Amino acid sequence: MVELSLIMKYYRFNISVSYEEFLQVYQGSARYLVIETDEGLTIKTNASNFLPFVSQLGIRGYFCLITDDLNKFHSLERIA
């Protein structure tokens, strides 16, 4: 029997990454972003999760990363 994870974890944080810095993701030399949450936790997540939020300025804003109780990525939302 497979157990379903129903508990979600929410991590809120500000991020500011320039377009030039994020270009390393496109070039293949970077795969992860390390972020510090509002609670002071350090989280390493796939940079590709941020692709929908990249503009000519890079990635800027206040986000919420949502994971299941096993810390598997569920979604990423821009809050502001």
Side-chain angles (χ1 to χ4, degrees):
M1 182 170 141
V2 176
E3 289 186 38
L4 297 176
S5 172
L6 300 176
I7 299 172
M8 303 306 265
K9 296 180 183 179
Y10 299 84
Y11 302 99
R12 291 174 178 79
F13 57 92
N14 277 305
I15 190 168
S16 179
V17 177
S18 72
Y19 182 81
E20 290 76 21
E21 290 174 306
F22 200 78
L23 192 58
Q24 294 176 21
V25 174
Y26 289 110
Q27 295 170 340
S29 60
R31 290 188 52 204
Y32 301 99
L33 289 179
V34 178
I35 55 175
E36 184 175 340
T37 69
D38 290 349
E39 295 81 22
L41 297 171
T42 301
I43 297 176
K44 180 178 168 182
T45 188
N46 285 324
S48 61
N49 295 332
F50 289 87
L51 287 175
F53 305 103
V54 178
S55 73
Q56 66 270 18
L57 298 175
I59 305 169
R60 300 197 190 312
Y62 189 60
F63 288 84
C64 182
L65 173 67
I66 303 169
T67 68
D68 65 16
D69 60 340
L70 300 175
N71 294 319
K72 286 191 173 187
F73 178 83
H74 181 267
S75 64
L76 179 66
E77 300 172 4
R78 185 192 312 258
I79 298 171

